[in-house]
Coordinates of all heavy atoms in Angstrom, one line a residue:
M163 N -26.7 131.3 45.6 CA -27.0 131.0 44.3 C -27.2 129.4 44.3 O -26.5 128.6 45.0 CB -25.9 131.4 43.3 CG -24.8 130.4 43.0 SD -23.7 131.1 41.7 CE -22.1 130.7 42.5
I164 N -28.1 129.0 43.4 CA -28.3 127.6 43.1 C -27.8 127.1 41.7 O -28.1 127.7 40.8 CB -29.9 127.2 43.2 CG1 -30.3 127.5 44.6 CG2 -30.1 125.8 42.9 CD1 -31.8 127.4 44.8
V165 N -26.8 126.3 41.8 CA -26.1 125.8 40.5 C -26.8 124.5 40.1 O -27.5 123.9 40.7 CB -24.7 125.6 40.8 CG1 -23.9 127.0 41.2 CG2 -24.3 124.5 41.8
R166 N -26.4 124.1 39.0 CA -26.8 122.8 38.4 C -25.7 122.0 38.1 O -24.7 122.4 37.4 CB -27.7 123.0 37.1 CG -28.2 121.6 36.6 CD -29.2 121.8 35.4 NE -30.4 122.3 36.0 CZ -31.4 122.8 35.2 NH1 -31.2 122.8 33.8 NH2 -32.4 123.3 35.7
F167 N -25.6 120.6 38.5 CA -24.6 119.6 38.2 C -25.2 118.9 36.9 O -26.2 118.1 37.2 CB -24.3 118.7 39.3 CG -23.8 119.4 40.5 CD1 -23.6 118.6 41.6 CD2 -23.3 120.7 40.6 CE1 -23.0 119.2 42.8 CE2 -22.8 121.3 41.7 CZ -22.7 120.5 42.8
H168 N -24.6 119.0 35.8 CA -25.0 118.1 34.6 C -24.1 116.9 34.5 O -22.8 117.2 34.4 CB -24.9 119.0 33.3 CG -25.7 120.2 33.2 ND1 -26.9 120.2 32.7 CD2 -25.4 121.4 33.7 CE1 -27.3 121.5 32.9 NE2 -26.4 122.3 33.5
I169 N -24.6 115.8 34.8 CA -23.7 114.5 34.8 C -24.2 113.7 33.7 O -25.4 113.4 33.5 CB -23.9 113.8 36.2 CG1 -23.5 114.8 37.3 CG2 -23.0 112.6 36.2 CD1 -23.7 114.2 38.7
D170 N -23.2 113.1 33.0 CA -23.4 112.3 31.8 C -22.4 111.1 31.7 O -21.2 111.4 32.0 CB -23.4 113.1 30.5 CG -24.6 114.1 30.3 OD1 -25.8 113.6 30.3 OD2 -24.4 115.2 30.4
P171 N -22.9 110.0 31.3 CA -21.8 108.9 31.0 C -21.2 109.2 29.7 O -21.7 109.8 28.8 CB -22.7 107.7 30.8 CG -24.1 108.2 30.4 CD -24.2 109.6 31.0
V172 N -19.8 109.0 29.7 CA -19.1 109.3 28.4 C -18.7 108.0 27.8 O -18.5 107.9 26.5 CB -17.8 110.2 28.6 CG1 -18.4 111.6 28.9 CG2 -17.0 109.8 29.8
E173 N -18.4 107.0 28.5 CA -18.1 105.5 28.1 C -18.4 104.6 29.3 O -18.8 105.1 30.3 CB -16.8 105.4 27.5 CG -15.6 106.0 28.3 CD -14.3 105.9 27.6 OE1 -14.0 106.8 26.7 OE2 -13.6 105.0 27.8
Q174 N -18.2 103.4 29.0 CA -18.5 102.5 30.2 C -17.7 102.8 31.3 O -16.5 102.8 31.4 CB -18.2 101.0 29.7 CG -18.8 100.0 30.8 CD -18.8 98.6 30.2 OE1 -18.8 98.4 29.0 NE2 -18.8 97.7 31.1
D175 N -18.5 103.0 32.5 CA -17.8 103.3 33.8 C -17.1 104.6 33.8 O -16.1 104.7 34.7 CB -17.0 102.1 34.3 CG -17.9 100.8 34.5 OD1 -19.0 101.0 34.9 OD2 -17.3 99.8 34.2
Q176 N -17.4 105.5 32.9 CA -16.7 106.8 32.9 C -17.8 107.9 32.9 O -18.7 107.8 32.0 CB -15.8 107.0 31.8 CG -14.5 106.0 31.8 CD -13.6 106.5 32.9 OE1 -13.1 107.5 32.7 NE2 -13.3 105.6 33.9
Y177 N -17.7 108.9 33.5 CA -18.6 110.0 33.6 C -17.9 111.3 33.4 O -16.8 111.5 33.8 CB -19.4 109.9 35.0 CG -20.2 108.7 35.1 CD1 -19.6 107.6 35.8 CD2 -21.5 108.6 34.8 CE1 -20.3 106.5 35.9 CE2 -22.3 107.4 34.9 CZ -21.6 106.3 35.5 OH -22.2 105.2 35.7
E178 N -18.8 112.4 33.0 CA -18.4 113.7 33.1 C -19.4 114.6 33.8 O -20.5 114.2 33.8 CB -18.1 114.2 31.7 CG -19.4 114.3 30.8 CD -19.2 114.8 29.4 OE1 -18.0 115.2 29.1 OE2 -20.1 114.8 28.6
Y179 N -18.9 115.8 34.2 CA -19.9 116.6 34.8 C -19.6 118.1 34.4 O -18.3 118.3 34.1 CB -19.9 116.5 36.4 CG -18.7 117.2 37.1 CD1 -18.8 118.5 37.5 CD2 -17.6 116.4 37.4 CE1 -17.6 119.0 38.1 CE2 -16.5 116.9 38.0 CZ -16.5 118.3 38.4 OH -15.4 118.8 39.1
L180 N -20.6 119.0 34.5 CA -20.5 120.4 34.3 C -21.2 121.0 35.2 O -22.5 120.6 35.4 CB -20.8 120.5 32.7 CG -20.9 122.0 32.3 CD1 -19.4 122.6 32.2 CD2 -21.5 122.2 31.0
V181 N -20.8 122.1 35.9 CA -21.5 122.9 36.8 C -21.8 124.2 36.1 O -21.0 124.8 35.5 CB -20.6 123.1 38.1 CG1 -21.4 124.1 39.0 CG2 -20.3 121.9 38.7
T182 N -23.1 124.5 36.2 CA -23.6 125.8 35.5 C -24.4 126.6 36.4 O -24.8 126.1 37.4 CB -24.5 125.5 34.3 OG1 -25.7 124.8 34.7 CG2 -23.8 124.7 33.2
Y183 N -24.5 127.9 36.2 CA -25.3 128.8 36.9 C -26.0 129.8 35.9 O -25.3 130.3 35.1 CB -24.5 129.6 37.9 CG -25.3 130.7 38.6 CD1 -26.3 130.3 39.5 CD2 -25.1 132.0 38.2 CE1 -27.1 131.3 40.1 CE2 -25.9 133.0 38.9 CZ -26.8 132.6 39.9 OH -27.7 133.5 40.6
E184 N -27.4 129.6 35.9 CA -28.2 130.3 35.0 C -27.7 130.1 33.5 O -27.6 131.0 32.7 CB -28.2 131.8 35.3 CG -28.9 132.1 36.7 CD -29.2 133.6 37.0 OE1 -28.5 134.3 36.2 OE2 -29.8 133.8 37.9
G185 N -27.4 128.8 33.1 CA -27.0 128.5 31.9 C -25.5 128.8 31.5 O -25.0 128.3 30.4
E186 N -24.8 129.4 32.4 CA -23.4 129.8 32.1 C -22.5 128.7 32.8 O -22.6 128.3 33.8 CB -23.1 131.1 32.7 CG -21.7 131.5 32.4 CD -21.4 133.0 33.0 OE1 -22.3 133.8 32.9 OE2 -20.3 133.2 33.4
E187 N -21.6 128.2 32.0 CA -20.7 127.2 32.4 C -19.7 127.7 33.4 O -19.1 128.7 33.2 CB -19.8 126.6 31.2 CG -20.7 125.8 30.3 CD -20.0 125.2 29.1 OE1 -18.7 125.1 29.3 OE2 -20.6 124.7 28.2
L188 N -19.5 127.1 34.6 CA -18.7 127.5 35.6 C -17.3 126.6 35.6 O -16.2 127.1 35.5 CB -19.2 127.4 37.0 CG -20.5 128.3 37.2 CD1 -21.1 128.2 38.6 CD2 -20.1 129.8 36.9
F189 N -17.5 125.3 35.7 CA -16.4 124.4 35.5 C -16.9 122.9 35.4 O -18.1 122.7 35.5 CB -15.4 124.4 36.8 CG -16.1 124.0 38.1 CD1 -16.0 122.8 38.6 CD2 -16.8 124.9 38.8 CE1 -16.7 122.4 39.8 CE2 -17.5 124.6 40.0 CZ -17.4 123.4 40.6
G190 N -15.9 122.0 35.1 CA -16.4 120.6 34.9 C -15.2 119.7 34.9 O -14.0 120.1 34.9
D191 N -15.4 118.4 34.6 CA -14.4 117.5 34.6 C -14.9 116.2 33.9 O -16.1 116.1 33.8 CB -13.7 117.1 35.9 CG -12.4 116.5 35.8 OD1 -11.9 116.4 34.7 OD2 -11.8 116.2 36.9
Y192 N -14.0 115.4 33.4 CA -14.5 114.1 32.7 C -13.5 113.0 33.2 O -12.5 113.2 33.8 CB -14.5 114.3 31.2 CG -13.2 114.5 30.6 CD1 -12.4 113.5 30.2 CD2 -12.6 115.8 30.5 CE1 -11.1 113.8 29.7 CE2 -11.4 116.0 30.0 CZ -10.6 115.0 29.5 OH -9.4 115.3 29.1
G193 N -14.1 111.8 32.9 CA -13.2 110.8 33.2 C -13.3 110.2 34.7 O -12.6 109.2 35.0
L194 N -14.4 110.6 35.4 CA -14.6 110.1 36.7 C -15.3 108.8 36.7 O -16.0 108.4 35.7 CB -15.4 111.2 37.5 CG -14.7 112.4 37.9 CD1 -14.8 113.4 36.9 CD2 -15.0 112.9 39.3
D195 N -15.1 108.0 37.7 CA -15.6 106.6 37.6 C -17.0 106.3 38.2 O -17.4 105.2 38.2 CB -14.6 105.6 38.3 CG -14.4 106.0 39.9 OD1 -15.0 106.8 40.3 OD2 -13.7 105.2 40.5
S196 N -17.7 107.4 38.7 CA -19.0 107.2 39.2 C -19.8 108.4 39.3 O -19.2 109.6 39.3 CB -19.0 106.6 40.6 OG -18.5 107.5 41.5
L197 N -21.1 108.4 39.4 CA -22.0 109.6 39.6 C -21.6 110.2 40.9 O -21.5 111.4 41.1 CB -23.5 109.2 39.6 CG -24.2 109.1 38.3 CD1 -24.0 107.8 37.6 CD2 -25.6 109.3 38.6
E198 N -21.4 109.4 41.9 CA -21.1 109.9 43.3 C -19.7 110.7 43.2 O -19.6 111.7 43.8 CB -20.9 108.6 44.2 CG -20.6 109.1 45.6 CD -20.5 107.9 46.6 OE1 -21.0 106.8 46.2 OE2 -20.1 108.1 47.7
G199 N -18.8 110.2 42.4 CA -17.5 110.9 42.2 C -17.7 112.3 41.6 O -17.1 113.2 41.9
C200 N -18.6 112.3 40.6 CA -18.9 113.5 40.0 C -19.5 114.6 40.9 O -19.2 115.8 40.9 CB -19.9 113.3 38.8 SG -19.1 112.5 37.3
I201 N -20.5 114.1 41.8 CA -21.1 115.0 42.8 C -20.0 115.5 43.7 O -20.0 116.7 44.0 CB -22.3 114.2 43.4 CG1 -23.4 114.1 42.5 CG2 -22.8 115.2 44.7 CD1 -24.5 113.2 43.1
T202 N -19.2 114.6 44.3 CA -18.3 114.9 45.2 C -17.3 116.1 44.6 O -16.9 117.0 45.3 CB -17.4 113.8 45.7 OG1 -18.3 112.8 46.3 CG2 -16.4 114.2 46.5
A203 N -16.8 115.7 43.4 CA -15.9 116.7 42.8 C -16.6 118.1 42.5 O -15.8 119.1 42.7 CB -15.3 116.1 41.4
A204 N -17.7 118.1 42.1 CA -18.4 119.3 41.7 C -18.6 120.1 43.1 O -18.5 121.3 43.1 CB -19.8 119.1 41.2
V205 N -19.0 119.5 44.2 CA -19.2 120.2 45.5 C -17.9 120.7 45.9 O -17.8 121.9 46.3 CB -19.8 119.2 46.5 CG1 -19.7 119.9 47.8 CG2 -21.2 118.8 46.2
E206 N -16.8 120.1 45.8 CA -15.5 120.5 46.2 C -15.0 121.7 45.4 O -14.3 122.5 46.0 CB -14.4 119.3 46.0 CG -14.7 118.3 47.1 CD -13.8 117.1 46.9 OE1 -13.0 117.1 46.0 OE2 -13.8 116.3 47.9
G207 N -15.5 121.9 44.1 CA -15.1 122.9 43.3 C -15.9 124.2 43.5 O -15.5 125.3 42.9
L208 N -16.9 124.1 44.2 CA -17.8 125.3 44.4 C -17.3 126.4 45.4 O -16.6 126.0 46.4 CB -19.2 124.9 44.9 CG -20.0 124.2 43.9 CD1 -21.3 123.6 44.6 CD2 -20.4 125.0 42.7
G209 N -17.6 127.6 45.1 CA -17.2 128.6 46.0 C -18.3 128.9 47.1 O -19.2 128.2 47.2
R210 N -18.1 129.9 48.0 CA -19.0 130.1 49.0 C -20.3 130.7 48.7 O -21.3 130.7 49.4 CB -18.2 131.2 50.0 CG -17.1 130.6 50.5 CD -16.6 131.6 51.6 NE -15.3 131.1 52.2 CZ -15.2 130.3 53.3 NH1 -16.3 130.0 53.9 NH2 -14.1 129.9 53.8
D211 N -20.4 131.2 47.3 CA -21.7 131.7 46.9 C -22.8 130.7 46.7 O -24.0 131.0 46.8 CB -21.5 132.5 45.6 CG -20.7 133.8 45.7 OD1 -20.6 134.3 47.0 OD2 -20.1 134.2 44.7
A212 N -22.4 129.5 46.4 CA -23.4 128.4 46.2 C -24.0 127.9 47.4 O -23.2 127.7 48.5 CB -22.8 127.3 45.4
V213 N -25.3 127.7 47.5 CA -26.0 127.2 48.7 C -26.7 125.9 48.4 O -26.9 125.2 49.3 CB -27.0 128.3 49.2 CG1 -26.3 129.5 49.7 CG2 -28.1 128.5 48.2
A214 N -26.9 125.6 47.1 CA -27.6 124.4 46.8 C -27.2 124.0 45.3 O -26.7 124.9 44.6 CB -29.1 124.5 46.9
A215 N -27.6 122.9 45.0 CA -27.5 122.3 43.6 C -28.5 121.5 43.1 O -29.0 120.7 43.8 CB -26.0 121.6 43.4
E216 N -28.8 121.6 41.8 CA -29.8 120.8 41.1 C -28.9 119.7 40.6 O -27.9 120.0 40.0 CB -30.5 121.5 40.1 CG -31.5 122.6 40.4 CD -32.1 123.3 39.2 OE1 -31.5 123.2 38.1 OE2 -33.1 123.8 39.4
I217 N -29.3 118.5 40.6 CA -28.7 117.3 40.1 C -29.4 116.9 38.8 O -30.7 116.6 38.8 CB -28.6 116.1 41.0 CG1 -28.0 116.6 42.3 CG2 -27.8 115.0 40.4 CD1 -26.5 117.0 42.3
A218 N -28.7 116.9 37.7 CA -29.3 116.5 36.5 C -28.5 115.3 35.8 O -27.2 115.5 35.5 CB -29.3 117.5 35.4
Y219 N -29.0 114.1 35.8 CA -28.2 113.0 35.1 C -28.9 112.7 33.8 O -30.1 112.4 33.7 CB -28.3 111.8 36.1 CG -27.6 110.5 35.5 CD1 -26.2 110.6 35.1 CD2 -28.3 109.4 35.3 CE1 -25.6 109.4 34.5 CE2 -27.6 108.2 34.7 CZ -26.3 108.4 34.3 OH -25.8 107.3 33.8
K220 N -28.1 112.8 32.7 CA -28.5 112.5 31.3 C -29.7 113.4 31.0 O -30.7 113.0 30.4 CB -28.9 111.0 31.2 CG -27.7 110.1 31.3 CD -28.0 108.7 31.2 CE -28.6 108.2 29.9 NZ -28.8 106.7 30.0
G221 N -29.7 114.6 31.5 CA -30.6 115.7 31.2 C -31.9 115.6 32.1 O -32.8 116.4 31.9
V222 N -32.0 114.7 33.0 CA -33.1 114.5 33.8 C -32.8 115.1 35.2 O -31.9 114.6 35.9 CB -33.7 113.1 34.0 CG1 -34.8 112.9 34.9 CG2 -34.1 112.6 32.6
I223 N -33.5 116.1 35.7 CA -33.3 116.7 37.0 C -34.0 115.9 38.0 O -35.2 115.6 37.9 CB -33.8 118.2 37.1 CG1 -33.0 119.0 36.1 CG2 -33.6 118.7 38.4 CD1 -33.6 120.4 36.0
S224 N -33.1 115.3 39.0 CA -33.8 114.4 39.9 C -34.1 115.3 41.3 O -34.7 114.7 42.2 CB -32.8 113.3 40.4 OG -31.6 113.8 40.7
G225 N -33.5 116.5 41.5 CA -33.8 117.2 42.7 C -32.8 118.3 42.9 O -31.8 118.5 42.3
T226 N -33.2 119.2 43.9 CA -32.4 120.3 44.4 C -32.0 120.0 45.8 O -32.9 119.8 46.6 CB -33.1 121.6 44.2 OG1 -33.6 121.7 42.8 CG2 -32.3 122.8 44.5
Y227 N -30.7 120.1 46.1 CA -30.2 119.7 47.5 C -29.3 120.9 48.0 O -28.5 121.3 47.3 CB -29.4 118.4 47.3 CG -30.1 117.3 46.7 CD1 -30.1 117.1 45.3 CD2 -30.9 116.4 47.5 CE1 -30.8 116.0 44.8 CE2 -31.7 115.4 47.0 CZ -31.5 115.2 45.5 OH -32.3 114.1 44.9
P228 N -29.6 121.1 49.3 CA -28.6 122.0 50.0 C -27.1 121.4 50.0 O -27.0 120.1 49.9 CB -29.0 122.1 51.4 CG -30.4 121.6 51.4 CD -30.5 120.6 50.2
L229 N -26.1 122.1 49.9 CA -24.7 121.6 49.7 C -24.4 120.7 50.9 O -23.7 119.8 50.7 CB -23.7 122.8 49.6 CG -23.8 123.6 48.3 CD1 -22.6 124.6 48.3 CD2 -23.8 122.8 47.1
A230 N -24.8 121.0 52.1 CA -24.6 120.1 53.2 C -25.1 118.7 53.0 O -24.4 117.7 53.3 CB -25.1 120.7 54.5
S231 N -26.3 118.6 52.4 CA -26.9 117.3 52.1 C -26.1 116.6 51.0 O -25.9 115.4 51.2 CB -28.4 117.5 51.7 OG -29.2 118.0 52.6
L232 N -25.7 117.4 50.0 CA -24.8 116.7 48.9 C -23.6 116.1 49.5 O -23.1 115.1 49.2 CB -24.5 117.8 47.9 CG -25.6 118.1 47.0 CD1 -25.3 119.3 46.2 CD2 -25.9 116.9 46.2
A233 N -22.9 116.7 50.5 CA -21.8 116.4 51.1 C -22.0 115.2 52.0 O -21.1 114.2 52.1 CB -21.0 117.5 51.9
L234 N -23.1 115.1 52.8 CA -23.3 114.0 53.7 C -24.0 112.8 53.1 O -23.8 111.7 53.6 CB -24.2 114.6 54.9 CG -23.5 115.7 55.8 CD1 -24.6 116.2 56.7 CD2 -22.3 115.0 56.5
M235 N -24.8 113.0 52.0 CA -25.6 111.9 51.5 C -25.3 111.7 49.9 O -26.2 111.4 49.2 CB -27.1 112.2 51.7 CG -27.5 112.3 53.1 SD -29.2 112.7 53.5 CE -30.0 112.8 52.0
T236 N -24.0 111.8 49.6 CA -23.7 111.7 48.2 C -24.1 110.4 47.5 O -24.7 110.4 46.4 CB -22.2 111.9 48.1 OG1 -21.7 113.1 48.7 CG2 -21.7 112.1 46.6
A237 N -23.9 109.4 48.2 CA -24.2 108.0 47.6 C -25.7 107.9 47.4 O -26.3 107.4 46.4 CB -23.7 106.9 48.5
Q238 N -26.5 108.3 48.3 CA -28.0 108.2 48.2 C -28.5 109.2 47.1 O -29.4 108.8 46.4 CB -28.8 108.5 49.6 CG -28.3 107.5 50.6 CD -27.2 107.9 51.4 OE1 -26.2 108.6 51.0 NE2 -27.1 107.5 52.7
I239 N -27.9 110.4 47.0 CA -28.3 111.3 46.0 C -28.0 110.7 44.6 O -28.7 110.9 43.7 CB -27.8 112.8 46.3 CG1 -28.5 113.3 47.6 CG2 -27.9 113.6 45.1 CD1 -27.9 114.5 48.2
A240 N -26.8 110.2 44.5 CA -26.4 109.7 43.2 C -27.4 108.6 42.8 O -27.7 108.4 41.6 CB -24.9 109.1 43.3
E241 N -27.6 107.7 43.7 CA -28.6 106.5 43.4 C -29.9 107.1 43.0 O -30.6 106.5 42.1 CB -28.7 105.7 44.6 CG -29.6 104.4 44.4 CD -29.1 103.4 43.3 OE1 -27.8 103.4 43.0 OE2 -29.9 102.8 42.8
H242 N -30.5 108.1 43.8 CA -31.7 108.6 43.4 C -31.7 109.3 41.9 O -32.6 109.0 41.2 CB -32.1 109.7 44.4 CG -33.4 110.4 44.1 ND1 -33.6 111.6 43.6 CD2 -34.6 109.9 44.4 CE1 -34.8 112.0 43.5 NE2 -35.5 110.9 43.9
A243 N -30.6 109.9 41.6 CA -30.4 110.5 40.3 C -30.6 109.3 39.2 O -31.2 109.5 38.2 CB -29.1 111.3 40.2
L244 N -29.8 108.2 39.5 CA -29.8 107.1 38.5 C -31.2 106.6 38.3 O -31.7 106.3 37.2 CB -28.8 106.1 39.0 CG -28.8 104.8 38.2 CD1 -28.3 105.1 36.8 CD2 -27.9 103.8 38.9
Q245 N -31.8 106.3 39.5 CA -33.2 105.6 39.5 C -34.3 106.5 38.8 O -35.1 106.1 38.1 CB -33.5 105.3 41.0 CG -32.7 104.1 41.5 CD -32.6 102.9 40.7 OE1 -33.7 102.5 40.1 NE2 -31.5 102.4 40.5
T246 N -34.1 107.9 39.1 CA -35.1 108.8 38.5 C -34.9 108.8 37.0 O -35.9 108.8 36.2 CB -34.8 110.2 39.1 OG1 -35.1 110.3 40.5 CG2 -35.8 111.3 38.4
T247 N -33.7 108.8 36.6 CA -33.4 108.9 35.1 C -33.8 107.6 34.4 O -34.5 107.6 33.4 CB -32.0 109.1 34.8 OG1 -31.6 110.5 35.3 CG2 -31.6 109.1 33.3
L248 N -33.6 106.4 35.1 CA -34.0 105.1 34.5 C -35.6 105.1 34.5 O -36.1 104.6 33.4 CB -33.5 104.0 35.3 CG -32.0 103.8 35.3 CD1 -31.6 102.7 36.3 CD2 -31.6 103.4 33.9
A249 N -36.2 105.6 35.5 CA -37.8 105.6 35.3 C -38.3 106.4 34.3 O -39.3 106.1 33.6 CB -38.2 106.1 36.7
I250 N -37.7 107.6 34.1 CA -38.1 108.5 33.1 C -37.9 107.8 31.7 O -38.6 108.0 30.8 CB -37.4 109.9 33.1 CG1 -37.9 110.5 34.4 CG2 -37.7 110.7 31.9 CD1 -39.2 111.0 34.6
E251 N -36.6 107.3 31.5 CA -36.3 106.7 30.2 C -37.3 105.5 29.9 O -37.6 105.2 28.7 CB -34.8 106.1 30.3 CG -33.8 107.3 30.2 CD -32.4 106.8 30.2 OE1 -32.1 105.6 30.7 OE2 -31.5 107.5 29.9
E252 N -37.7 104.8 31.0 CA -38.6 103.6 30.7 C -39.9 104.0 30.3 O -40.5 103.2 29.4 CB -38.7 102.9 32.1 CG -39.3 101.6 32.1 CD -39.4 101.0 33.4 OE1 -38.3 100.5 33.8 OE2 -40.5 100.9 34.1
V253 N -40.4 105.2 30.6 CA -41.7 105.6 30.0 C -41.7 106.5 28.9 O -42.7 107.0 28.3 CB -42.6 106.2 31.2 CG1 -42.9 105.2 32.3 CG2 -41.9 107.4 31.7
S254 N -40.5 107.0 28.5 CA -40.2 107.9 27.4 C -40.3 107.2 26.1 O -39.8 106.1 25.9 CB -39.0 108.6 27.5 OG -39.0 109.5 28.6
P255 N -41.0 107.8 25.0 CA -41.1 107.1 23.7 C -39.8 107.1 23.1 O -38.8 107.8 23.3 CB -42.1 107.9 23.0 CG -42.2 109.2 23.7 CD -41.8 109.0 25.2

């Protein structure tokens, strides 16, 4: 199964995440100090059924990644999510 990680800022330097599958909430947490921390926590909470995850930061999906990539390249994937969302926000009305 491919899950989605919804990551959002909740206040300065604080983030929350929610993991969903086909729109159904599986689990989440809040108060983490970085996007990278949210990705790491979400990966650690997944069961064996998940093979990949879509990353959505502030509602913008930046990509779909195999779980092995999420575990090995967390910082780069978090940075990509941030940059993708900033680029979309820059051109959105």
Side-chain angles (χ1 to χ4, degrees):
M163 92 174 135
I164 299 173
V165 297
R166 181 175 291 169
F167 297 173
H168 303 267
I169 304 170
D170 290 293
V172 289
E173 45 186 86
Q174 188 166 342
D175 299 324
Q176 294 287 300
Y177 299 85
E178 67 181 354
Y179 74 90
L180 178 64
V181 178
T182 64
Y183 176 67
E184 294 185 352
E186 185 177 322
E187 295 181 12
L188 301 178
F189 63 93
D191 200 1
Y192 63 93
L194 288 91
D195 63 359
S196 67
L197 272 82
E198 187 176 346
C200 288
I201 294 170
T202 299
V205 168
E206 289 173 354
L208 290 174
R210 296 186 183 270
D211 293 338
V213 296
E216 295 176 335
I217 305 297
Y219 178 59
K220 294 172 66 176
V222 176
I223 298 171
S224 60
T226 304
Y227 304 93
L229 292 186
S231 295
L232 286 169
L234 293 173
M235 300 179 1
T236 309
Q238 295 92 333
I239 292 169
E241 182 63 25
H242 182 258
L244 175 63
Q245 294 305 319
T246 299
T247 298
L248 290 174
I250 296 297
E251 288 177 343
E252 191 173 285
V253 297
S254 294

